[in-house]
Amino acid sequence: MELQNQTALVTGGASGIGRETALLLAREGALVIISGRNAAKGAEAVAEIEAAGGKARFITADLSDLASVARLAEDAGEVDILVNNAGAFPFAPALEQGLDTFQELFDTNVRGPFFLTSALAGKMVAKGSGSIINVTTIAGLRGMPDTAAYGATKAAVDSFTRTWAAEFGGRGVRVNAIAPGHTKTENVTSMIGEEEFEEAGAATPLARLGRPREIAEAILFLASPRSSYITGVTLAVDGGYMAQG
């Protein structure tokens, strides 16, 4: 197992891509700390990991609340792998974007991960090793209708990725990002509509939607020693969507 004796924190780890990531990291031997707002779903994720022979625990946290972010960092302690996966994504046309949801997006997707990473990366730097993986989106890499605010938050995190890689790389900490494409999760499907979302997946070169496990496999790669000479990269896991220009 590649991650034996390591501790991983996965924010938003109770469902979707985060849950699949937590399962894979635990399968590879990591003690996985799952954080999220839904304690019931968190308990289910922990139980699933433990049933498979892994180790996990859950911490209730809200990334939009800085006090909650500080408590999460303190409760998590020293981690070897940080997966900044939690995020808000209420899409809206630019002319209809409300201030409240705009603020929620930036608080959750930008401010929360920044200060959580700030609190945890120092411990990684002190011991000379660590891997940070930020989950962004192809909407931060390419103009997509109705995602102006959301895409901007994730573009900011892509910028964090490059800057942190430059800041921390000389002290043994790698920082990368995964930009999922059209991925079939319950939350996104319910927001966009299943039929419309399936059509979007059919328009990719692979002609289908992605699965959360496929995104999680890429995150596992960047967390593992197999990617030991990779840092500062945003990897699109998108069925070839970005290749279409």
Side-chain angles (χ1 to χ4, degrees):
M1 293 188 285
E2 292 183 298
L3 305 178
Q4 195 76 37
N5 301 319
Q6 295 194 42
T7 298
L9 169 59
V10 182
T11 67
S15 62
I17 291 169
R19 184 164 178 156
E20 292 294 334
T21 299
L23 289 167
L24 287 182
L25 296 176
R27 185 193 71 187
E28 291 301 320
L31 164 62
V32 180
I33 302 168
I34 297 169
S35 77
R37 293 181 295 184
N38 190 319
K41 284 189 175 180
E44 290 174 2
V46 169
E48 185 175 1
I49 287 170
E50 292 179 339
K55 297 177 290 184
R57 64 186 179 100
F58 178 76
I59 299 174
T60 303
D62 180 352
L63 269 288
S64 70
D65 179 344
L66 284 183
S68 182
V69 170
R71 287 193 297 271
L72 172 59
E74 182 177 357
D75 290 349
E78 187 175 300
V79 302
D80 303 284
I81 299 162
L82 170 61
V83 181
N84 283 313
N85 169 74
F89 46 85
F91 299 161
L95 300 183
E96 299 174 14
Q97 178 69 60
L99 178 58
D100 288 347
T101 52
F102 184 93
Q103 191 68 54
E104 177 191 1
L105 282 164
F106 277 85
D107 287 351
T108 305
N109 296 356
V110 180
R111 190 181 68 175
F114 182 91
F115 285 101
L116 179 62
T117 301
S118 178
L120 295 174
K123 299 171 186 177
M124 295 182 180
V125 165
K127 67 182 179 182
S129 65
S131 181
I132 299 168
I133 302 97
N134 299 316
V135 180
T136 62
T137 174
I138 55 171
L141 302 174
R142 178 175 176 179
M144 299 177 68
D146 303 336
T147 67
Y150 171 71
T153 65
K154 293 300 190 174
V157 177
D158 283 328
S159 179
F160 292 165
T161 299
R162 294 186 294 272
T163 302
W164 289 337
E167 287 188 10
F168 306 148
R171 291 171 284 181
V173 179
R174 297 184 299 109
V175 187
N176 292 289
I178 291 289
H182 300 86
T183 306
K184 191 169 185 178
T185 64
E186 182 179 343
N187 289 338
V188 177
T189 301
S190 63
M191 179 175 59
I192 294 176
E194 187 161 358
E195 184 174 342
E196 184 177 349
F197 202 29
E198 292 286 352
E199 290 175 359
T204 67
L206 291 185
R208 64 173 176 85
L209 295 172
R211 295 182 291 271
R213 175 57 67 97
E214 292 175 306
I215 312 302
E217 291 282 4
I219 294 171
L220 171 61
F221 169 70
L222 290 178
S224 77
R226 285 176 286 164
S227 61
S228 59
Y229 199 55
I230 300 174
T231 195
V233 166
T234 294
L235 173 64
V237 186
D238 63 351
Y241 181 83
M242 292 296 298
Q244 300 176 114

